């Protein structure tokens, strides 16, 4: 018989909520979108500045921004003739930051292992 554990937050969540969470994780599964969030976590930005910081064509960055906006992670406001984008859901950005810290810690730990070749396969 399996040992019962405290399921925490996920224990009492409906399938519908898990589906919505999975959709957000799907939006976050793009390195370009994570780079956009990194830039926006430093402050508001227009698409031209984002394209410069992230790298990529304006149209590509705009498409990624649309996906981030549809998911509720990013929002925009008008500033004269330009649109300025900003983080709309800071809690999700905190989760992304926690995951990045975790991955960074794992990478640091691997790089100090005996026999590890820097830049080699994980």
């Amino acid at each position: 018989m399996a040992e019962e554990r405290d399921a925490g937050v996920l224990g009492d969540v409906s399938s519908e909520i898990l589906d919505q969470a999975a959709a957000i994780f799907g939006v976050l599964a793009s390195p370009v979108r994570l780079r956009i969030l990194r830039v926006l976590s430093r402050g508001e930005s227009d698409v031209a500045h984002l394209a410069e910081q992230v790298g990529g064509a304006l149209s590509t960055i705009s498409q990624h921004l649309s996906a981030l906006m549809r998911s509720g992670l990013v929002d925009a406001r008008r500033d004269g003739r330009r649109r300025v984008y900003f983080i709309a859901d800071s809690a999700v950005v905190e989760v992304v930051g926690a995951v990045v810290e975790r991955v960074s810690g794992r990478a640091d730990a691997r790089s100090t292992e005996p026999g590890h070749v820097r830049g080699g396969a994980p």
Side-chain angles (χ1 to χ4, degrees), residues 57-117:
L58 291 175
S59 60
T60 302
I61 300 302
S62 290
Q63 289 173 354
H64 285 293
L65 284 166
S66 292
L68 289 164
M69 288 179 68
R70 281 192 306 274
S71 68
L73 300 176
V74 169
D75 206 349
R77 65 177 176 78
R78 285 270 176 216
D79 183 22
R81 297 179 69 192
R82 66 187 189 127
R83 265 184 106 161
V84 177
Y85 297 89
F86 57 91
I87 300 290
D89 190 341
S90 60
V92 173
V93 175
E94 288 177 24
V95 170
V96 170
V99 171
V100 169
E101 283 181 15
R102 180 76 177 206
V103 169
S104 178
R106 287 181 183 169
D108 290 345
R110 278 198 311 263
S111 68
T112 60
E113 291 176 359
H116 176 79
V117 178

Side-chain angles (χ1 to χ4, degrees), residues 38-39 45-58 61:
R38 178 180 60 191
V39 173
S45 182
D46 63 13
V47 69
H49 183 254
L50 284 167
E52 178 183 302
Q53 293 294 307
V54 171
L58 291 175
I61 300 302

Side-chain angles (χ1 to χ4, degrees), residues 12-29:
D12 295 326
V13 175
S14 71
S15 291
E16 181 181 335
I17 295 297
L18 291 175
D19 290 346
Q20 291 173 16
I24 289 175
F25 281 114
V27 169
L28 294 171

